[in-house]
Amino acid sequence: MCGIVGYVGPRESVPILIEGLRKLEYRGYDSAGVAVHEKGETRVVRCQGKLANLEKQLTVTKLTGSVGIGHTRWATHGRPSETNAHPHRVGGVSVVHNGIIENHMILRQRLMATGRKFSSETDTEIVAHLVDAELKAGVKDLGDAVRNALKQVEGAYALVVLSDSHPDRLVCAKVASPMVLGVGEGENFVASDIPAILSHTRNMIFLEDGQVAELTAQRIAITDLAGRPMSPPVKSVVWNSTQAEKNGFKHFMLKEIHEQPRAVTDTLRGRIELEQHDALLDEVQLDPATIKKIIIVACGTSNHAGMVGKFMIEQLARIPVECDLASEFRYRDPIVGPGDLVIAVSQSGETADTLAAVKEAKAKGARILSIANVVDSSIPRASDGALYTHAGPEIGVASTKAFTTQLIALALIALHLGRKNGKLSKEAAKQFIDELLQLPIKMKEVADQAAPLQVLARRYGNARDFLFLGRGINHPIALEGALKLKEISYIHAEGYSAGEMKHGPIALIDEHMPVVVIAPKGPGYEKVMSNLTEVKAREGKIIAIATRGDQEIGSIADEVILIPECASVLSPLLTVVPLQLLSYYVADFKGTDVDQPRNLAKSVTVE
Ligand code: F6R
């Protein structure tokens, strides 16, 4: 998500920090900052916006010193602003952090009760307070202070701490967020990603979860959270800088497909209440008693997420949901007003059509909730409440991890509404939560099936058209599969409800037409099977996405890709992954520009 760089050695740190942050720019960010030790005191310079702003600021406030940390922030808690930018400084302690502190609300209240004051809206500032409190309480060693502080913290973090009291060192730690140490000669480095430090050293230590590292110019000492010494291996990195940016993947899209288990975990983080079997969505304050109906507005892939959301909300909370293409919404004089909840789904938060739909609904008196990945973007700002997905920046133009995290956000809304209006029993909610929490592992299992999908891409990659079929909650996934294939491989593809096939598209089917069928076990399975016999009778080539253990499908489909069993209402989170991979491998086989397909933009700010 955000970028971290740290340096300790004999050289001036600021140019090294800026150069490192620049190498991480491709990941996207909305503010930046550095902190440098200078004659017994740490000085911090931060600013909103691009690194160029920071550099300009650094020509006014000159920082010199050979121990420093730098950060580019992609906002998750708190708006993008200078006060929310990292490093956060409390007392003599400065901290940069990637990730999400799950128990930030409790810790903040606890710290405030001891008289501590906060100057930002971030969860990161809490860590700076905790470390400062340890040092003020008499802990002598900075490593001990950080370990003690982290014992109170739940969540995901990669962080680096700099303290006036220990001017020769950096202390770093990580849980569930990447962090790499660069081993130099008489100097050492730390970063959230390899490219940031690759020009200085190829010798790297990849910190493991729960490890804490203390870096001085001459040595690196690593312990676990209990202070026991650890010695992870030093590895030599052979990637060039472009490979390193993509974490070794050929394209950002492929990297982002594989990031989905992590992204989904981050979106769920801190939002499940295990005792009441509910979703914790304090940021949006939903009360089903005041909601007559829900209207979801969105475009493209986000619209497909909305269509899945309709099934989820109607099933779990029994509240009627309509889905509208944002580009159509305001032109049809929609029946919307007080008592309606409009949910705007947008990865970028900037899509002009979705923003216009939000304004239209607001003007007519509806309450607006947005689901977005970019904090403080235009759509959340125009809404009454925003639920942010924590997918991290998505660079590939074709949306993948933004989509699956939108599905998670919608699932949490459905769960919360169902619990609040009593339509979802404790037992059913418990089961739903269990299934939600298992998704990241299951998604990884599906994403790891690259080889068979590569074979399929080569086998069918020269087809002129593709048909995608699905029913019920997997109908939107058929639409999404077709959209993905179209946008990156330029093959014409149509998504259809399987039941609609006989009303038209069946005329297209012959031996040249690959038909991708989403057929997980669950409601509608038998119906899909009978649609398949119709395809088979016309010699269409069937590629089925089916549930592991399905004995029937192999007798009719030409190709079968298996997914693990899961609750039907969450199956889109698994069925979409092979479709993303299939599109990716077809596009790669055809040699198109996967990450920047022709005529498409990441953020569509024109109507
Ligand atoms: C497809 C894709 C687009 C977007 C659409 C809406 O892969 O990315 O269809 O989903 O342009 O964008 P957001 O979600 O930013 O509103």
Side-chain angles (χ1 to χ4, degrees):
M1 269 193 238
C2 317
I4 289 179
V5 190
Y7 174 77
V8 48
R11 293 192 271 162
E12 271 308 320
S13 60
V14 169
I16 296 170
L17 301 178
I18 297 290
E19 182 205 326
L21 293 177
R22 179 138 292 131
K23 295 275 168 50
L24 301 179
E25 267 194 310
Y26 69 93
R27 298 172 59 89
Y29 62 100
D30 40 51
S31 59
V34 290
V36 174
H37 266 314
E38 200 176 318
K39 299 186 194 100
E41 198 202 2
T42 307
R43 293 174 65 208
V44 179
V45 174
R46 308 179 294 183
C47 65
Q48 195 179 339
K50 293 291 162 196
L51 274 178
N53 298 357
L54 181 66
E55 282 182 293
K56 201 164 156 211
Q57 190 58 40
L58 284 165
T59 60
V60 182
T61 315
K62 293 202 168 52
L63 299 185
T64 51
S66 62
V67 182
I69 52 179
H71 192 263
T72 44
R73 173 174 187 253
W74 164 271
T76 53
H77 290 81
R79 294 165 303 117
S81 64
E82 188 190 328
T83 32
N84 287 336
H86 301 208
H88 287 281
R89 183 162 165 79
V90 174
V93 175
S94 305
V95 177
V96 290
H97 161 227
N98 288 357
I100 301 162
I101 307 291
E102 233 171 89
N103 56 342
H104 67 101
M105 298 234 265
I106 300 168
L107 290 176
R108 185 182 271 257
Q109 279 159 9
R110 211 184 283 161
L111 286 159
M112 282 167 75
T114 66
R116 287 185 168 264
K117 298 218 165 13
F118 283 79
S119 52
S120 78
E121 301 159 314
T122 66
D123 49 344
T124 304
E125 195 184 344
I126 287 159
V127 179
H129 273 285
L130 290 173
V131 176
D132 181 56
E134 290 294 324
L135 292 171
K136 295 232 163 81
V139 175
K140 292 277 168 294
D141 181 74
L142 183 60
D144 286 339
V146 172
R147 278 182 286 269
N148 291 350
L150 292 180
K151 281 177 200 150
Q152 304 168 57
V153 167
E154 288 164 22
Y157 53 79
L159 53 87
V160 188
V161 180
L162 193 64
S163 170
D164 294 358
S165 56
H166 297 74
D168 64 336
R169 67 197 55 209
L170 303 175
V171 175
C172 329
K174 84 144 224 144
V175 167
S177 268
M179 175 152 265
V180 58
L181 309 180
V183 185
E185 284 182 18
E187 58 184 359
N188 287 307
F189 307 82
V190 56
S192 52
D193 265 306
I194 297 169
I197 51 177
L198 196 61
S199 61
H200 301 290
T201 178
R202 290 190 166 266
N203 297 327
M204 309 230 176
I205 297 174
F206 295 89
L207 271 197
E208 298 285 341
D209 285 354
Q211 291 183 339
V212 179
E214 225 168 313
L215 275 63
T216 61
Q218 300 303 334
R219 67 187 272 272
I220 295 178
I222 298 173
T223 69
D224 62 11
L225 276 177
R228 287 180 292 249
M230 318 279 291
S231 35
V234 179
K235 294 187 178 156
S236 178
V237 172
V238 292
W239 290 340
N240 63 33
S241 58
T242 315
Q243 286 168 320
E245 280 183 3
K246 294 176 184 146
N247 207 7
F249 289 102
K250 190 169 172 189
H251 294 98
F252 283 112
M253 181 183 176
L254 189 59
K255 171 175 173 273
E256 286 157 5
I257 290 172
H258 285 277
E259 275 173 357
Q260 290 181 109
R262 198 269 309 140
V264 160
T265 306
D266 283 346
T267 302
L268 285 171
R269 200 181 294 286
R271 287 177 168 156
I272 298 283
E273 215 281 85
L274 287 171
E275 262 169 40
Q276 295 305 316
H277 309 298
D278 199 350
L280 272 174
L281 302 178
D282 297 340
E283 63 263 62
V284 289
Q285 300 294 335
L286 287 175
D287 179 5
T290 63
I291 302 173
K292 277 195 300 201
K293 73 168 187 293
I294 294 176
I295 303 173
I296 303 182
V297 290
C299 297
T301 288
S302 297
N303 176 54
H304 300 151
M307 290 170 79
V308 174
K310 170 181 164 72
F311 280 86
M312 291 172 164
I313 296 170
E314 289 191 343
Q315 190 172 321
L316 271 60
R318 306 304 297 158
I319 298 173
V321 182
E322 290 170 15
C323 274
D324 251 295
L325 283 168
S327 51
E328 293 287 341
F329 185 72
R330 71 184 165 135
Y331 298 109
R332 66 172 181 82
D333 192 11
I335 303 173
V336 59
D340 293 333
L341 174 69
V342 169
I343 305 182
V345 186
S346 173
Q347 176 279 131
S348 61
E350 297 295 347
T351 300
D353 284 320
T354 312
L355 183 58
V358 162
K359 288 182 177 161
E360 172 82 10
K362 207 171 178 183
K364 291 190 157 173
R367 183 164 180 249
I368 318 289
L369 160 65
S370 54
I371 296 177
N373 196 35
V374 181
V375 172
D376 217 29
S377 45
S378 303
I379 293 170
R381 279 208 311 270
S383 306
D384 299 299
L387 187 60
Y388 290 112
T389 53
H390 294 309
E394 191 175 64
I395 294 163
V397 164
S399 190
T400 53
K401 62 177 182 170
F403 174 71
T404 40
T405 53
Q406 286 167 347
L407 297 187
I408 293 292
L410 287 157
L412 290 170
I413 290 172
L415 168 66
H416 188 57
L417 290 174
R419 289 300 291 138
K420 273 200 119 175
N421 69 5
K423 299 285 185 215
L424 190 67
S425 68
K426 252 191 175 181
E427 298 65 42
K430 181 180 177 316
Q431 208 178 339
F432 184 74
I433 290 171
D434 287 348
E435 292 272 355
L436 264 179
L437 296 176
Q438 287 171 33
L439 277 174
I441 292 172
K442 292 182 180 174
M443 289 174 87
K444 179 165 178 353
E445 263 179 61
V446 183
D448 285 345
Q449 296 183 61
L453 287 157
Q454 276 169 307
V455 172
L456 294 189
R458 264 180 250 121
R459 200 170 284 160
Y460 298 100
N462 287 319
R464 216 187 54 184
D465 313 276
F466 266 69
L467 194 58
F468 287 74
L469 301 177
R471 282 192 98 108
I473 200 164
N474 277 297
H475 169 222
I477 300 305
L479 302 182
E480 175 60 7
L483 178 64
K484 284 285 93 87
L485 190 69
K486 277 188 272 231
E487 59 183 343
I488 59 169
S489 74
Y490 316 143
I491 293 177
H492 168 246
E494 297 216 39
Y496 255 91
S497 161
E500 278 290 295
M501 193 186 62
K502 55 186 168 302
H503 299 291
I506 198 163
L508 296 171
I509 294 174
D510 62 14
E511 72 275 23
H512 303 298
M513 172 73 98
V515 181
V516 180
V517 183
I518 304 149
K521 281 281 184 196
Y525 174 80
E526 297 305 334
K527 295 272 181 219
V528 173
M529 288 303 280
S530 73
N531 297 139
L532 287 193
T533 41
E534 293 158 5
V535 175
K536 195 74 192 164
R538 284 150 190 92
E539 294 183 23
K541 295 282 173 280
I542 299 173
I543 302 168
I545 312 297
T547 307
R548 192 176 296 145
D550 185 334
Q551 305 289 339
E552 228 175 309
I553 198 120
S555 62
I556 188 156
D558 297 273
E559 325 279 353
V560 181
I561 299 292
L562 294 172
I563 59 162
E565 258 182 73
C566 84
S568 293
V569 66
L570 293 174
S571 62
L573 282 131
L574 300 184
T575 54
V576 75
V577 178
L579 304 190
Q580 296 167 339
L581 284 169
L582 179 66
S583 309
Y584 170 78
Y585 285 120
V586 169
D588 189 40
F589 167 68
K590 295 188 77 183
T592 61
D593 188 348
V594 172
D595 285 330
Q596 289 185 321
R598 68 186 182 203
N599 308 337
L600 294 177
K602 190 69 195 157
S603 182
V604 185
T605 51
V606 288
E607 283 188 42

